[in-house]
Amino acid sequence: MRMSRNDKDFIVKALQEEIRIDGRHPLESRKVSIAFGQNNDSASIIMGSTRVVTVVVPSLESPVPDRPKEGTLRFNVEPSPMAAPDFEGGRPTEQAMELIRLLEQTLRNSRAVDREALCIQAGRKVWHLDINVTILEHGGNLTDACLLSAVAALMVFRRPDVEAAGGDSEAGGGRISLLSPAVREPLPLSLHQLPLSATFGIFGEGESVVLDPKLREEAAAAGTMTIIINTNSDICAIKKTCGIGTPVLQMHRLTQLAGERAGELMQTLKAALQRHEASMVSMRVRRHASAPQQPLGALPHSVTLLPPADVTDVAQSWQPDCAMKTDETSSSGAAEDSEQEDSLSTGEGVPETCEAGGAEQSSTIAASLQDTQQGTLATKSPQVMHSKAAREHHDRPANPKRIAIGVEKKKEADIPDFLEDGDDLKEDLLHMRRALLSKEKRSYM
Amino acid sequence: MVCVGDRIDTDMQEGFLRGHGTQVLDGQLVATECGLVERVNKLVSVRPLRQRYSAALGDIVIGRVTEVAGKRWRLDIGARQEVSLQLSSVDLPGGAQRRRTAEDEIKMRTIFKEGDLLSAEVQSLHADGSIALHTRSAKYGKLTGGDLLYVPAALVKRQKHHFTNLTTMGITMILGCNGMVWLAPTHEGSSAAASSTSAPEQTAAKAPASAAEREAVSKAANAVRLLASLSMNISPASLLNVCKVCAERGVQAKDMLTASFIGAMLEEESQQRLQTSL
Amino acid sequence: MEFVTPEGLRRDGRRPKELRQLKCEVGVFPHADGSATFNIGNTQVIATVFGPRVADSRGESSTDRAIVKCAYSESHFAAGSRRQRKGRGDRRTAELASTVRKALEETILVELFPKAQIDLGIQVLQADGSVLAACINAAMLAVADAGIPMRDMIAATTVGYLESTPLLDINHTERTGNGPELLLALHVNQDKAIIITEEGAVNPETLEGMAELAEQGCKAVGKFLRQSLLEHIQRHATVRGLTVK
């Protein structure tokens, strides 16, 4: 990235007074947001304005001849041309090669991923994982982002379980069948260690360092050093291959800082994984319509943004024609029930709670969309619903779903937490919610 | 004698001027090259043994044309910087003194074209370091009918006369400061370097060199090669010296580069130095 | 396989803090602007330098400094078994070339040669551990031979850690022990580390020990390189009849 001399001088001078151009402390890093894909095969990392996505693609291959009992991993780093003006498609640049080498070194050569566990039939078939890292936006510190996203993807990745039918492997027998997720839970990878990195930009004569440099800081820096530490507090790798010389003592100091940073990152990563697990479970619950209703306490609050598809599914299931004696109908029944009881107040109640929710940043979009759907449907065909509701009103318990939604509203369920305040997407979501609510309000009038 | 990173002793003098091959670190003068320290009054510099030729004003160089671009020729003189010869810096054929027109530009190839060898002088250095040459003198211009040698540029010191006529051998020698040496048989009347003012027909009509001339040229060329291999300075005097020793020992031109003669040459050299030191 | 005997001797008879035998020659190729060979134990590397000269492509050249390019190649016979793949162009050699390039780019005073290009060529003849360190050392000698000004002398060594002992200058056999490896390239007079690469899991205390040993090793190599360069100049200056003060 080309920078004017003024810019560079400004950054360096500000650093002498321990001020960074985005207001951070020199050893403060940007907030990291981690999101996982629905299919448990991808992880998306956002660090400030750097966005990286990693997708893990499994396939069955024959093993490398000199390692017949090990699975294989291949890493690829793709700097997308939309990430930065100087990224072009075509041959991988020196920078991309360096990142690939780093990933290979820390995740493959260091045996972080247990490759022997990926063996299905020794000498014949093993799992081959293609780990594709795509850089969507280059906002500085690609090293940390790429490694973190690769590690996150590997942690969330679930591979299908296999069954090797009996038979003589030498004779070429022994068919391998992949078991679908419905039959058997996909398995996670066996990871011995989780390496996480901290990159420092070096300024001046090598004395002043900043943690997690932004793009402009990187361009103005005299050098960079990356330290990769794993969960056992062992140093996996150190890379200082460019830029100005630093005293060796500096390295030791940075190692300590890197350890702290790695600890923080690991906590964030684990928390994100837990939330993802929970949301996956809750999604599966909603998907399986015939599944029995879970007791109240077990329903977790959902934080992930439900894709629009789910909402339409739910909406369709509420068509008055498909008389499903399911909890959804009962929930819709209960909903209109209350609507019937106090249509206007509910109408207002919903936005009220939503406003209140908005004030305390609670109430998922999903919940609010469900509410509005219920509301709209109720007003569309109140007569039909009414009879049904009347019928089912007595023998049905208070709709746990409805209460659960209330629970959801009151809980600290946030708008997806990878959105920062002032972020465009968050504004859009809030706006959308308001628009839907106002539309629903109008339909009552 | 210093190596890279060594501190140069400046305690003897009050102040110092930093010359080539040095840098100032924490107030101390530190060498950036491996070589010998030269002190001239207050100027302290380090001269390495070998260095790529770096042009200075007034140097006489020999170069080959690599490109004919708009209103200038680009040459290769083995220098660090870019080198160009402007159209306005050459003499037009016929000796005309006028402004260069577009027609002249089109006819550039008739003067010098790609692959031509020519001698020139460094006219000026531009702000970005690139060199501008000129051939505005009868002695500069295209070179034909001779032998070109490449030697390390450091062995060709700046002398009074770079164009010398070795009458005893009947050859003309041009010592380019960029390490290119040109040897050609002398022609009566004019210098061996056919200037650009001479009509094209003249150069074509030059008779091919005779066997004796060629032998003389190859003898001189071998002498230069010998000096270069021994890392000795190349000058007309040293060249003649080598030829003298060669004649004394009755060594033929083709045997000049054999180990025995080189050894003999070294002996001679050491003898001479001994005598001069006494 | 035992790498360090109870008496503290390594497989090749060295002590843990001992370097292998160092040998170098400056000015081996008269046609290159600068050239040198560097041997450490059985590892042999040749380096050549061309430049500074006018940059080949305008687009790559920089108006305020010279660009440094490095071409790295390993001979087919360099390793223990004949290499099947090409000794250049693949990812590993690209990374090695890039590291040597960056080390020298930081060492050469590139601001003195705007719009120029300096070409480094590295050829590994024999690889017996510490190859990258040897490449950096050879390149430095070649650059010094070419008379290109440098900030400081750069020297590089590799340190391994096997059987609870930091080992200086590991050879190929010791590399097969799969212990952590630290490469350090140091500006010896100014004590600034230019390249630090560490591979393999190691705890911070051990790393400190390895780093200290690496620093000492670099200084020792630096001393040797300096000695060799001075001898080379001495020899040539005498022949040329230049006085030595």
Side-chain angles (χ1 to χ4, degrees):
Chain A
M1 186 197 167
R2 287 177 191 262
M3 271 178 77
S4 69
R5 215 166 290 175
N6 286 345
D7 262 333
K8 275 195 194 157
D9 290 343
F10 179 69
I11 292 176
V12 175
K13 246 185 165 178
L15 264 180
Q16 285 168 1
E17 302 177 24
E18 303 219 331
I19 302 172
R20 289 169 80 168
I21 45 172
D22 57 352
R24 283 187 278 160
H25 181 267
L27 299 174
E28 192 188 323
S29 51
R30 290 173 290 186
K31 191 160 174 284
V32 176
S33 307
I34 310 174
F36 297 97
Q38 298 282 314
N39 298 330
N40 276 338
D41 63 352
S42 68
S44 145
I45 302 287
I46 303 184
M47 287 166 74
S49 54
T50 304
R51 289 174 205 245
V52 176
V53 169
T54 303
V55 179
V56 180
V57 179
S59 58
L60 291 172
E61 307 276 335
S62 2
V64 177
D66 44 334
R67 287 178 211 258
K69 292 199 189 135
E70 288 182 7
T72 49
L73 300 170
R74 191 178 37 209
F75 293 89
N76 188 33
V77 173
E78 186 75 44
S80 161
M82 65 181 174
D86 41 345
F87 283 176
E88 288 167 6
R91 277 205 75 195
T93 58
E94 200 179 272
Q95 193 185 29
M97 300 276 253
E98 264 190 44
L99 288 167
I100 297 175
R101 281 287 299 168
L102 189 74
L103 292 174
E104 282 180 354
Q105 190 188 312
T106 48
L107 293 170
R108 184 171 72 186
N109 300 351
S110 67
R111 315 211 154 252
V113 179
D114 189 347
R115 281 185 271 162
E116 292 191 359
L118 293 174
C119 176
I120 302 167
Q121 277 180 349
R124 282 192 63 222
K125 274 278 184 267
V126 296
W127 279 112
H128 170 79
L129 300 176
D130 266 311
I131 296 135
N132 298 317
V133 181
T134 308
I135 301 171
L136 297 173
E137 203 178 330
H138 180 15
N141 199 2
L142 289 176
T143 321
D144 283 2
C146 287
L147 184 62
L148 183 60
S149 72
V151 170
L154 287 170
M155 282 171 85
V156 83
F157 178 66
R158 303 281 180 266
R159 63 174 176 81
D161 203 356
V162 291
E163 218 169 49
D168 215 338
S169 54
E170 279 124 21
R175 281 184 48 191
I176 301 167
S177 46
L178 290 174
L179 304 169
S180 86
V183 175
R184 210 182 293 179
E185 276 295 309
L187 305 169
L189 292 174
S190 162
L191 299 169
H192 293 306
Q193 42 159 316
L194 300 167
L196 292 170
S197 70
T199 300
F200 299 88
I202 307 169
F203 289 85
E205 292 293 314
E207 351 66 50
S208 61
V209 291
V210 298
L211 173 59
D212 188 17
K214 282 178 65 147
L215 186 60
R216 299 170 74 76
E217 288 171 331
E218 261 182 14
T224 53
M225 174 151 23
T226 301
I227 298 178
I228 301 175
I229 298 202
N230 69 13
T231 37
N232 306 331
S233 297
D234 277 344
I235 299 167
C236 289
I238 296 182
K239 243 175 79 94
K240 186 213 170 297
T241 51
C242 70
I244 201 168
T246 63
V248 183
L249 289 171
Q250 181 80 283
M251 179 182 80
H252 299 310
R253 178 179 156 234
L254 293 182
T255 313
Q256 278 181 323
L257 294 167
E260 290 162 19
R261 162 103 170 120
E264 285 167 20
L265 273 178
M266 185 43 80
Q267 283 187 354
T268 321
L269 187 52
K270 286 205 168 129
L273 271 171
Q274 272 178 357
R275 284 198 299 262
H276 176 71
E277 292 290 315
S279 73
M280 292 302 285
V281 169
S282 75
M283 279 234 311
R284 248 176 281 147
V285 165
R286 278 199 207 107
R287 231 185 280 139
H288 296 303
S290 49
Q293 193 61 262
Q294 299 256 343
L296 248 185
L299 260 185
H301 60 278
S302 65
V303 257
T304 47
L305 180 62
L306 277 187
D310 266 357
V311 177
T312 22
D313 285 346
V314 170
Q316 273 166 9
S317 70
W318 286 350
Q319 287 306 320
D321 307 323
C322 43
M324 286 197 294
K325 292 212 177 348
T326 62
D327 58 322
E328 267 129 13
T329 339
S330 55
S331 66
S332 65
E336 317 104 32
D337 206 21
S338 42
E339 312 283 23
Q340 297 305 310
E341 284 159 11
D342 192 357
S343 54
L344 278 174
S345 64
T346 324
E348 272 137 36
V350 171
E352 256 172 37
T353 12
C354 282
E355 291 327 335
E360 32 168 276
Q361 288 199 8
S362 61
S363 170
T364 62
I365 311 296
S368 61
L369 284 171
Q370 282 176 18
D371 283 342
T372 52
Q373 284 288 1
Q374 292 169 17
T376 343
L377 279 170
T379 47
K380 263 189 197 155
S381 46
Q383 280 77 25
V384 178
M385 288 305 176
H386 184 59
S387 50
K388 255 209 200 141
R391 248 186 293 131
E392 292 165 6
H393 182 52
H394 303 288
D395 41 309
R396 184 189 13 88
N399 184 23
K401 199 87 189 245
R402 170 91 188 174
I403 298 169
I405 290 164
V407 165
E408 278 170 358
K409 275 194 218 154
K410 286 185 189 123
K411 271 196 191 160
E412 270 297 312
D414 345 334
I415 289 180
D417 65 345
F418 57 79
L419 296 172
E420 295 165 6
D421 283 345
D423 198 310
D424 286 336
L425 184 55
K426 180 172 178 183
E427 302 278 279
D428 287 345
L429 287 171
L430 286 169
H431 181 74
M432 195 166 73
R433 188 212 289 160
R434 268 182 244 126
L436 281 164
L437 290 171
S438 63
K439 185 173 115 186
E440 176 248 307
K441 222 178 177 173
R442 261 181 274 122
S443 61
Y444 274 111
M445 311 304 177
Chain B
M1 202 167 48
V2 286
C3 192
V4 178
D6 284 353
R7 210 157 287 147
I8 300 174
D9 193 13
T10 51
D11 294 339
M12 300 303 200
Q13 42 193 121
E14 283 167 10
F16 58 82
L17 279 177
R18 186 180 77 77
H20 287 302
T22 59
Q23 62 178 344
V24 179
L25 281 179
D26 297 329
Q28 292 267 0
L29 196 62
V30 172
T32 58
E33 309 211 24
C34 295
L36 298 160
V37 178
E38 291 182 339
R39 295 173 207 264
V40 178
N41 293 337
K42 283 198 177 171
L43 180 67
V44 183
S45 58
V46 176
R47 189 145 58 97
L49 286 181
R50 286 216 304 192
Q51 223 178 20
R52 210 172 162 93
Y53 173 62
S54 171
L57 203 61
D59 279 356
I60 296 174
V61 296
I62 300 174
R64 205 177 280 278
V65 177
T66 56
E67 196 192 329
V68 181
K71 283 214 169 127
R72 76 178 76 162
W73 291 271
R74 289 217 196 275
L75 286 90
D76 169 31
I77 62 171
R80 281 182 186 175
Q81 311 100 315
E82 247 181 75
V83 166
S84 61
L85 175 64
Q86 297 272 2
L87 176 58
S88 48
S89 309
V90 305
D91 285 335
L92 289 174
Q97 300 288 341
R98 57 176 164 79
R99 198 185 229 154
R100 310 303 188 247
T101 62
E103 218 182 280
D104 290 321
E105 201 175 327
I106 296 168
K107 289 199 185 145
M108 274 174 83
R109 271 208 179 72
T110 57
I111 306 173
F112 300 127
K113 58 182 197 299
E114 287 91 341
D116 279 349
L117 194 69
L118 45 93
S119 62
E121 187 183 336
V122 175
Q123 185 179 42
S124 63
L125 298 175
H126 293 147
D128 60 354
S130 57
I131 308 167
L133 302 175
H134 77 94
T135 54
R136 275 187 163 286
S137 173
K139 54 183 182 173
Y140 303 128
K142 191 147 63 173
L143 301 173
T144 52
D147 200 1
L148 179 71
L149 303 165
Y150 294 89
V151 299
L155 299 178
V156 180
K157 298 276 178 277
R158 279 169 187 79
Q159 298 153 30
K160 261 197 180 160
H161 302 288
H162 284 259
F163 291 79
T164 35
N165 216 331
L166 302 169
T167 44
T168 48
M169 299 177 67
I171 39 179
T172 316
M173 180 165 86
I174 305 179
L175 285 170
C177 296
N178 59 332
M180 297 213 213
V181 180
W182 171 260
L183 299 157
T186 320
H187 290 268
E188 305 90 26
S190 63
S191 62
S195 69
S196 55
T197 54
S198 63
E201 303 90 50
Q202 237 182 21
T203 43
K206 206 160 46 166
S210 69
E213 283 174 336
R214 273 184 273 150
E215 171 131 17
V217 169
S218 48
K219 219 179 196 175
N222 274 346
V224 172
R225 290 193 185 101
L226 185 70
L227 290 168
S229 66
L230 295 176
S231 298
M232 301 208 292
N233 287 333
I234 298 169
S235 64
S238 60
L239 194 149
L240 285 172
N241 192 24
V242 173
C243 292
K244 189 181 74 163
V245 172
C246 172
E248 276 173 13
R249 312 242 170 160
V251 176
Q252 291 217 308
K254 64 181 169 71
D255 296 324
M256 278 173 82
L257 294 175
T258 54
S260 55
F261 185 64
I262 293 176
M265 204 47 233
L266 276 173
E267 238 181 73
E268 276 291 327
E269 180 66 25
S270 50
Q271 287 275 1
Q272 282 185 4
R273 286 197 197 167
L274 203 61
Q275 284 185 351
T276 46
S277 65
L278 284 172
Chain C
M1 201 191 318
E2 189 188 49
F3 291 105
V4 185
T5 67
E7 298 88 47
L9 289 176
R10 292 151 79 168
R11 289 186 72 85
D12 55 359
R14 282 187 286 155
R15 296 238 156 245
K17 295 195 181 179
E18 235 180 277
L19 281 170
R20 286 177 287 178
Q21 192 189 37
L22 297 168
K23 211 164 65 129
C24 74
E25 210 182 312
V26 182
V28 284
F29 293 135
H31 298 293
D33 286 334
S35 57
T37 62
F38 181 79
N39 294 6
I40 179 163
N42 284 331
T43 302
Q44 287 188 22
V45 176
I46 300 180
T48 54
V49 174
F50 281 92
R53 56 195 187 89
V54 181
D56 281 335
S57 86
R58 268 270 159 79
E60 282 179 357
S61 71
S62 170
T63 46
D64 59 343
R65 53 206 293 279
I67 56 172
V68 178
K69 285 186 160 182
C70 178
Y72 175 97
S73 168
E74 278 179 19
S75 310
H76 285 267
F77 46 82
S81 55
R82 185 184 160 83
R83 169 191 301 283
Q84 293 300 321
R85 292 168 296 180
K86 271 206 304 195
R88 71 177 83 89
D90 64 341
R91 218 173 276 153
R92 188 183 63 88
T93 53
E95 195 193 8
L96 292 168
S98 158
T99 312
V100 175
R101 185 187 73 81
K102 287 187 185 148
L104 269 298
E105 198 174 42
E106 199 52 43
T107 314
I108 298 173
L109 290 168
V110 284
E111 291 86 23
L112 295 178
F113 311 115
K115 292 207 233 166
Q117 178 175 314
I118 299 174
D119 288 316
L120 299 168
I122 310 277
Q123 181 77 26
V124 177
L125 294 177
Q126 249 180 261
D128 188 17
S130 290
V131 173
L132 187 51
C135 293
I136 294 176
N137 294 331
M140 195 227 80
L141 287 171
V143 167
D145 183 41
I148 300 175
M150 291 189 276
R151 233 175 276 278
D152 193 357
M153 290 215 17
I154 185 167
T157 48
T158 321
V159 169
Y161 185 79
L162 291 168
E163 284 161 28
S164 311
T165 329
L167 305 170
L168 179 61
D169 183 26
I170 46 178
N171 60 26
H172 182 75
T173 327
E174 285 164 344
R175 287 195 83 201
T176 57
N178 278 325
E181 224 177 277
L182 170 73
L183 168 83
L184 180 69
L186 192 70
H187 274 177
V188 287
N189 293 312
Q190 294 174 26
D191 267 333
K192 293 266 181 86
I194 304 297
I195 305 272
I196 306 174
T197 55
E198 192 273 318
E199 293 180 22
V202 65
N203 71 56
E205 290 80 39
T206 317
L207 182 68
E208 271 192 53
M210 286 168 77
E212 211 188 290
L213 185 58
E215 251 191 285
Q216 289 171 9
C218 284
K219 295 241 162 105
V221 173
K223 239 164 102 178
F224 168 77
L225 294 174
R226 180 174 181 278
Q227 201 59 39
S228 313
L229 281 170
L230 286 175
E231 272 172 24
H232 174 74
I233 299 170
Q234 177 86 29
R235 223 178 303 135
H236 283 257
T238 330
V239 173
R240 280 222 234 144
L242 300 163
T243 46
V244 177
K245 291 194 189 99

Short mmCIF file of all heavy atoms in Angstrom, two decimals, chain B residues 93-118:
data_model
loop_
_atom_site.label_atom_id
_atom_site.label_comp_id
_atom_site.label_asym_id
_atom_site.label_seq_id
_atom_site.Cartn_x
_atom_site.Cartn_y
_atom_site.Cartn_z
N PRO B 93 26.58 14.44 -39.33
CA PRO B 93 27.50 14.19 -40.46
C PRO B 93 27.57 15.41 -41.35
O PRO B 93 26.59 16.09 -41.59
CB PRO B 93 26.85 13.01 -41.19
CG PRO B 93 25.49 12.90 -40.65
CD PRO B 93 25.45 13.53 -39.32
N GLY B 94 28.75 15.66 -41.78
CA GLY B 94 28.94 16.84 -42.61
C GLY B 94 29.32 18.05 -41.79
O GLY B 94 29.55 19.14 -42.31
N GLY B 95 29.37 17.87 -40.49
CA GLY B 95 29.82 18.97 -39.65
C GLY B 95 28.82 20.11 -39.54
O GLY B 95 29.18 21.23 -39.21
N ALA B 96 27.55 19.83 -39.82
CA ALA B 96 26.57 20.91 -39.75
C ALA B 96 26.33 21.32 -38.31
O ALA B 96 26.29 20.50 -37.41
CB ALA B 96 25.28 20.45 -40.40
N GLN B 97 26.21 22.63 -38.10
CA GLN B 97 25.92 23.16 -36.78
C GLN B 97 24.54 23.78 -36.84
O GLN B 97 24.39 24.91 -37.22
CB GLN B 97 26.95 24.23 -36.38
CG GLN B 97 28.37 23.74 -36.31
CD GLN B 97 28.61 22.85 -35.11
OE1 GLN B 97 27.85 22.86 -34.15
NE2 GLN B 97 29.68 22.08 -35.17
N ARG B 98 23.55 23.04 -36.56
CA ARG B 98 22.20 23.57 -36.63
C ARG B 98 21.31 22.86 -35.62
O ARG B 98 21.71 21.88 -35.01
CB ARG B 98 21.64 23.40 -38.04
CG ARG B 98 21.65 21.94 -38.49
CD ARG B 98 21.00 21.80 -39.86
NE ARG B 98 21.33 20.53 -40.45
CZ ARG B 98 20.77 19.39 -40.14
NH1 ARG B 98 19.85 19.35 -39.20
NH2 ARG B 98 21.12 18.26 -40.74
N ARG B 99 20.14 23.39 -35.51
CA ARG B 99 19.16 22.77 -34.62
C ARG B 99 18.72 21.44 -35.20
O ARG B 99 18.55 21.31 -36.39
CB ARG B 99 17.94 23.69 -34.53
CG ARG B 99 17.14 23.34 -33.32
CD ARG B 99 15.90 24.14 -33.26
NE ARG B 99 15.82 24.70 -31.92
CZ ARG B 99 15.20 25.77 -31.61
NH1 ARG B 99 14.60 26.47 -32.54
NH2 ARG B 99 15.16 26.20 -30.38
N ARG B 100 18.54 20.47 -34.33
CA ARG B 100 18.13 19.15 -34.80
C ARG B 100 16.67 19.17 -35.16
O ARG B 100 15.84 19.53 -34.37
CB ARG B 100 18.37 18.08 -33.72
CG ARG B 100 19.74 18.06 -33.08
CD ARG B 100 20.85 17.88 -34.06
NE ARG B 100 22.14 17.66 -33.42
CZ ARG B 100 23.15 18.48 -33.46
NH1 ARG B 100 23.03 19.63 -34.09
NH2 ARG B 100 24.28 18.17 -32.88
N THR B 101 16.38 18.73 -36.37
CA THR B 101 14.99 18.72 -36.83
C THR B 101 14.40 17.33 -36.70
O THR B 101 15.09 16.38 -36.33
CB THR B 101 14.91 19.14 -38.30
OG1 THR B 101 15.66 18.17 -39.06
CG2 THR B 101 15.52 20.51 -38.50
N ALA B 102 13.14 17.26 -37.05
CA ALA B 102 12.48 15.96 -37.01
C ALA B 102 13.12 15.01 -38.00
O ALA B 102 13.21 13.80 -37.76
CB ALA B 102 11.00 16.13 -37.31
N GLU B 103 13.61 15.56 -39.07
CA GLU B 103 14.26 14.72 -40.07
C GLU B 103 15.52 14.09 -39.49
O GLU B 103 15.83 12.92 -39.73
CB GLU B 103 14.64 15.59 -41.27
CG GLU B 103 14.46 14.91 -42.59
CD GLU B 103 14.89 15.83 -43.71
OE1 GLU B 103 14.09 16.70 -44.07
OE2 GLU B 103 16.02 15.65 -44.19
N ASP B 104 16.23 14.87 -38.70
CA ASP B 104 17.43 14.33 -38.06
C ASP B 104 17.07 13.17 -37.15
O ASP B 104 17.80 12.19 -37.06
CB ASP B 104 18.12 15.43 -37.22
CG ASP B 104 18.76 16.48 -38.10
OD1 ASP B 104 19.32 16.09 -39.13
OD2 ASP B 104 18.67 17.66 -37.74
N GLU B 105 15.94 13.34 -36.50
CA GLU B 105 15.51 12.29 -35.58
C GLU B 105 15.27 10.98 -36.33
O GLU B 105 15.63 9.91 -35.87
CB GLU B 105 14.24 12.74 -34.88
CG GLU B 105 13.98 12.01 -33.58
CD GLU B 105 12.79 12.56 -32.84
OE1 GLU B 105 12.56 13.79 -32.95
OE2 GLU B 105 12.09 11.79 -32.18
N ILE B 106 14.67 11.12 -37.49
CA ILE B 106 14.38 9.91 -38.27
C ILE B 106 15.67 9.30 -38.76
O ILE B 106 15.80 8.09 -38.91
CB ILE B 106 13.44 10.26 -39.45
CG1 ILE B 106 12.09 10.74 -38.89
CG2 ILE B 106 13.25 9.07 -40.36
CD1 ILE B 106 11.20 11.37 -39.90
N LYS B 107 16.66 10.15 -39.01
CA LYS B 107 17.92 9.64 -39.57
C LYS B 107 18.91 9.24 -38.51
O LYS B 107 20.09 9.05 -38.78
CB LYS B 107 18.56 10.73 -40.44
CG LYS B 107 17.83 11.00 -41.73
CD LYS B 107 18.73 11.70 -42.71
CE LYS B 107 17.94 12.08 -43.94
NZ LYS B 107 18.37 13.35 -44.50
N MET B 108 18.45 9.11 -37.26
CA MET B 108 19.37 8.77 -36.18
C MET B 108 20.13 7.49 -36.45
O MET B 108 21.30 7.37 -36.12
CB MET B 108 18.60 8.62 -34.86
CG MET B 108 18.41 9.93 -34.13
SD MET B 108 17.36 9.71 -32.70
CE MET B 108 18.54 9.14 -31.52
N ARG B 109 19.43 6.55 -37.04
CA ARG B 109 20.10 5.25 -37.26
C ARG B 109 21.26 5.33 -38.21
O ARG B 109 22.12 4.46 -38.22
CB ARG B 109 19.08 4.22 -37.79
CG ARG B 109 18.42 3.52 -36.67
CD ARG B 109 17.98 2.13 -36.99
NE ARG B 109 17.39 1.57 -35.80
CZ ARG B 109 16.23 1.95 -35.30
NH1 ARG B 109 15.51 2.86 -35.93
NH2 ARG B 109 15.77 1.41 -34.20
N THR B 110 21.29 6.36 -39.06
CA THR B 110 22.42 6.45 -39.98
C THR B 110 23.67 6.89 -39.24
O THR B 110 24.78 6.67 -39.70
CB THR B 110 22.13 7.47 -41.09
OG1 THR B 110 21.84 8.73 -40.48
CG2 THR B 110 20.95 7.03 -41.92
N ILE B 111 23.49 7.51 -38.11
CA ILE B 111 24.65 7.94 -37.34
C ILE B 111 25.14 6.78 -36.48
O ILE B 111 26.24 6.28 -36.64
CB ILE B 111 24.31 9.15 -36.46
CG1 ILE B 111 23.70 10.27 -37.30
CG2 ILE B 111 25.55 9.65 -35.74
CD1 ILE B 111 23.17 11.43 -36.53
N PHE B 112 24.28 6.36 -35.53
CA PHE B 112 24.61 5.18 -34.72
C PHE B 112 23.39 4.30 -34.69
O PHE B 112 22.29 4.79 -34.48
CB PHE B 112 24.93 5.55 -33.26
CG PHE B 112 26.10 6.47 -33.09
CD1 PHE B 112 25.97 7.64 -32.36
CD2 PHE B 112 27.34 6.16 -33.62
CE1 PHE B 112 27.03 8.48 -32.18
CE2 PHE B 112 28.42 7.00 -33.45
CZ PHE B 112 28.26 8.17 -32.73
N LYS B 113 23.59 3.00 -34.84
CA LYS B 113 22.44 2.11 -34.68
C LYS B 113 22.75 1.06 -33.64
O LYS B 113 23.85 1.01 -33.09
CB LYS B 113 22.04 1.49 -36.01
CG LYS B 113 23.08 0.70 -36.71
CD LYS B 113 22.49 0.21 -38.03
CE LYS B 113 23.29 -0.90 -38.61
NZ LYS B 113 24.66 -0.51 -38.93
N GLU B 114 21.75 0.21 -33.37
CA GLU B 114 21.90 -0.76 -32.29
C GLU B 114 23.09 -1.67 -32.56
O GLU B 114 23.24 -2.20 -33.64
CB GLU B 114 20.65 -1.65 -32.16
CG GLU B 114 19.45 -0.96 -31.58
CD GLU B 114 18.58 -0.35 -32.66
OE1 GLU B 114 19.09 -0.15 -33.78
OE2 GLU B 114 17.42 -0.06 -32.40
N GLY B 115 23.89 -1.84 -31.55
CA GLY B 115 25.07 -2.71 -31.68
C GLY B 115 26.34 -1.98 -31.98
O GLY B 115 27.42 -2.56 -31.92
N ASP B 116 26.26 -0.70 -32.33
CA ASP B 116 27.48 0.05 -32.63
C ASP B 116 28.26 0.30 -31.36
O ASP B 116 27.71 0.57 -30.30
CB ASP B 116 27.11 1.40 -33.25
CG ASP B 116 26.81 1.28 -34.73
OD1 ASP B 116 27.07 0.20 -35.30
OD2 ASP B 116 26.30 2.25 -35.31
N LEU B 117 29.59 0.31 -31.52
CA LEU B 117 30.47 0.60 -30.40
C LEU B 117 30.98 2.02 -30.58
O LEU B 117 31.36 2.41 -31.68
CB LEU B 117 31.64 -0.38 -30.43
CG LEU B 117 32.49 -0.46 -29.18
CD1 LEU B 117 31.68 -1.10 -28.07
CD2 LEU B 117 33.72 -1.30 -29.47
N LEU B 118 30.96 2.79 -29.52
CA LEU B 118 31.47 4.14 -29.67
C LEU B 118 32.14 4.62 -28.39
O LEU B 118 31.89 4.10 -27.30
CB LEU B 118 30.36 5.10 -30.09
CG LEU B 118 29.03 5.03 -29.37
CD1 LEU B 118 28.96 5.97 -28.20
CD2 LEU B 118 27.93 5.39 -30.35
#
